[in-house]
Amino acid sequence: MLIGVPREPKGETRVAATPVTVKQLIALGYDVVLETGAGEAASFADEAYAGAGARIGAAEQAWGADVVLRLNGPSMPETDLPKSGSVLVCMLAPALNPELVDALTARTITVLAMDAVPRISRAQSLDVLSSMANIAGYRAVIEAAHHFGRFFTGQVTAAGKVPPAKVLVAGAGVAGLAAIATAASLGAVVRATDPRPEVADQVRSLGGTYLPVEAGERMDSSDGYAKATSEAYDAAAARLYAEQSADVDIVITTALIPGRPAPRLLTAADVAAMRPGSVIVDMATAQGGNVEGSVTGEVITTGHGVTIIGYTDLAGRLAAQASQLYGTNLVNLMKLLTPDRDGTLTLDLGDVVQRGITVTRGGEKLWPPPPVQVSAATAPAAAAIAQPVVTRRPFPVAAKLTLTGLGVAALFAVNAFAPEPIPRHFTVLVLAVVIGYYVIGKVHHALHTPLMSVTNAISGVILVGAMFQIGVHDVVVRTLATVAVLLASINVFGGFAVTRRMLAMFQKGT
């Protein structure tokens, strides 16, 4: 089958395939044709595509392929370009474009919406919204830094002390977390808020401070996407935003709800309360905006000097990187749709991922798909069942002392009457038990995994003892000593290897 990659509409810098992903598509058995100049805006020349094995052709050839890969959905006039029976893969926003969905259904083509991927673990490699949001969150901080008149990081210089910038990130989804990590890496004091309290640990791990909204309720999602909040939550959040906007220097808003207008987070009064020179990046202007007064695609400055950035192409401002990630998402999809790696696309509607992104198929409208349960809401606490109170009688002190005395007497008896070298070995055994109990037995269970990796080095005692026994003439003893050396060595080196890997998880890359 032939895969076509047409040019994107004017103003779009990204492209649906890069020279790297073209090679991967060809390895799946497909032929690839790109429209002339399709990758120019992302700095991918036609020669690079040709070197990767693709053909360069006219727009008619790209649109007339068996499978058409595009980043943006077609305009209404472009719905006539794909041939009947072909497959169109793009970001379509079907919930917001019902007329476009109807027009594509009438064309008897199959349309797969990359922005409708279910939020399940198996589909993460296809999740275009996450890959683009990651780039957009990073770029939002860069744009804010460009318009901000001071350092992000605090400094003490001969010319005076520079305080760090204060950044508030509204929403700790993929874009928000990327913004938090970027702002923190630049040295800013970062705060973040989100309806989901479970993201607090993620915010802290990236160097931010989580600000909870005290609304007395949880915001759980059953499909992995954000959902509308309640009036009580909105009122509590409004108070938080009003308080924070007067204190911070930069606000980055990321709140979006699929298929619905963006929620309003900052009012005109909140913006007016910010200091002159402050910056707001509204990442939701394409769906109405989170900030009152933001303008889609533009940068404005209020009368008292607050800059509001309303760019809708934040991911496209890193065109080469965004194209590579989007192209990789498409390659992962084509791998799923090409199980035999023979260049033949096979759509299985029994697969929840493939069904979730299928908008139309052969003239049949399949949108919206059946709901996919990806996370369970917090179950209400079950009513406590009265249980009979069982009173445990304490162990008598006299019995404890008696057992302790018998143990000591047994130890002395062994040391008094056992032949050498059993008393010495028995003493070492008892000491090892005591040390092991206090070193390991008293460790909290939450620390067992990292700590046990280190305390496995106690096996070194076994290793040393076994090495002394290897020279014994008895074949049985020598064999057992050899096995002990082997097993103890594995335990020692394996323990340190596991510890090293676990510590590396908490270290920043250099």
Side-chain angles (χ1 to χ4, degrees):
M1 297 179 72
L2 178 63
I3 292 178
V5 182
R7 291 180 67 122
E8 298 294 327
K10 185 178 180 180
E12 178 59 73
T13 58
R14 295 167 292 179
V15 64
T18 69
V20 173
T21 63
V22 163
K23 289 182 179 180
Q24 295 173 312
L25 293 172
I26 293 175
L28 292 175
Y30 293 97
D31 294 322
V32 181
V33 58
L34 281 91
E35 181 180 349
T36 303
E40 284 182 354
S43 301
F44 297 119
D46 290 344
E47 292 76 14
Y49 287 110
R55 291 189 288 112
I56 307 299
E60 293 78 9
Q61 293 177 280
W63 280 107
D66 302 306
V67 181
V68 178
L69 303 182
R70 205 164 188 249
L71 194 141
N72 292 279
S75 61
M76 291 299 288
E78 290 175 329
T79 56
D80 293 329
L81 296 179
K83 69 179 183 180
S84 296
S86 62
V87 178
L88 172 62
V89 184
C90 62
M91 290 198 290
L92 193 64
L96 299 177
N97 297 290
E99 297 85 2
L100 180 58
V101 172
D102 292 338
L104 292 170
T105 304
R107 285 297 326 283
T108 64
I109 63 176
T110 297
V111 180
L112 307 181
M114 289 299 293
D115 48 356
V117 174
R119 287 288 173 87
I120 59 178
S121 298
R122 189 165 61 86
Q124 286 182 348
S125 62
L126 318 178
D127 194 347
V128 169
L129 293 181
S130 292
S131 61
M132 295 300 103
N134 183 30
I135 298 175
Y138 169 86
R139 184 69 189 195
V141 176
I142 301 303
E143 294 292 340
H146 175 66
H147 289 86
F148 189 53
R150 295 192 286 108
F151 292 135
F152 263 48
T153 184
Q155 293 188 13
V156 178
T157 70
K161 182 178 179 181
V162 179
K166 299 177 183 178
V167 179
L168 173 66
V169 179
V174 176
L177 292 175
I180 293 167
T182 306
S185 67
L186 292 176
V189 175
V190 185
R191 306 163 185 169
T193 183
D194 191 276
R196 302 161 298 165
E198 61 267 22
V199 304
D201 289 338
Q202 299 177 48
V203 172
R204 296 187 190 101
S205 69
L206 295 173
T209 300
Y210 177 71
L211 304 178
V213 175
E214 303 296 343
E217 59 182 307
R218 290 181 59 92
M219 293 296 165
D220 297 299
S221 175
S222 61
D223 59 1
Y225 292 94
K227 70 172 186 177
T229 52
S230 66
E231 292 183 3
Y233 179 89
D234 292 341
R239 293 191 294 270
L240 176 65
Y241 291 130
E243 175 187 340
Q244 291 297 318
S245 59
D247 183 54
V248 301
D249 303 298
I250 295 169
V251 178
I252 299 174
T253 64
T254 69
L256 280 173
I257 302 173
R260 298 185 58 176
R264 184 57 50 85
L265 302 183
L266 294 185
T267 65
D270 296 332
V271 176
M274 298 184 71
R275 290 185 290 269
S278 300
V279 179
I280 300 173
V281 182
D282 187 349
M283 298 181 63
T285 54
Q287 290 180 220
N290 297 140
V291 181
E292 186 175 355
S294 62
V295 179
T296 302
E298 296 184 15
V299 178
I300 65 169
T301 303
T302 65
H304 66 289
V306 175
T307 301
I308 304 178
I309 303 173
Y311 291 147
T312 59
D313 62 341
L314 288 170
R317 289 172 179 264
L318 293 172
Q321 183 66 76
S323 299
Q324 181 60 49
L325 292 184
Y326 182 75
T328 302
N329 292 140
L330 290 178
V331 169
N332 292 331
L333 173 65
M334 297 308 294
K335 288 179 179 178
L336 178 64
L337 301 179
T338 318
D340 296 328
R341 305 296 192 267
D342 57 354
T344 301
L345 187 147
T346 303
L347 185 62
D348 178 14
L349 295 183
D351 179 12
V352 65
V353 176
Q354 299 180 47
R355 177 63 184 88
I357 64 176
T358 304
V359 179
T360 72
R361 184 184 187 187
E364 179 185 4
K365 182 178 177 180
L366 299 179
W367 183 264
V372 179
Q373 188 76 15
V374 300
S375 62
T378 304
I385 301 175
Q387 297 288 344
V389 178
V390 179
T391 304
R392 298 184 61 182
R393 298 177 59 184
F395 200 72
V397 177
K400 291 182 180 180
L401 295 176
T402 301
L403 291 176
T404 302
L406 291 175
V408 172
L411 175 62
F412 278 104
V414 169
N415 281 278
F417 300 105
E420 287 291 341
I422 292 179
R424 287 185 287 119
H425 292 334
F426 191 76
T427 302
V428 172
L429 174 62
V430 172
L431 292 176
V433 170
V434 173
I435 294 173
Y437 176 76
Y438 283 102
V439 172
I440 300 175
K442 293 295 185 179
V443 175
H444 192 276
H445 293 292
L447 299 177
H448 272 191
T449 299
L451 187 61
M452 291 304 239
S453 300
V454 178
T455 54
N456 278 341
I458 296 176
S459 298
V461 177
I462 300 174
L463 180 61
V464 172
M467 292 175 65
F468 278 114
Q469 299 299 322
I470 288 181
V472 176
H473 296 292
D474 192 322
V475 176
V476 176
V477 174
R478 188 183 306 171
T479 302
L480 293 176
T482 303
V483 173
V485 169
L486 175 62
L487 297 180
S489 299
I490 294 174
N491 202 19
V492 171
F493 292 108
F496 281 113
V498 171
T499 300
R500 187 172 180 272
R501 293 186 62 181
M502 295 191 67
L503 293 176
M505 294 171 60
F506 299 95
Q507 296 175 348
K508 293 185 176 179
T510 56

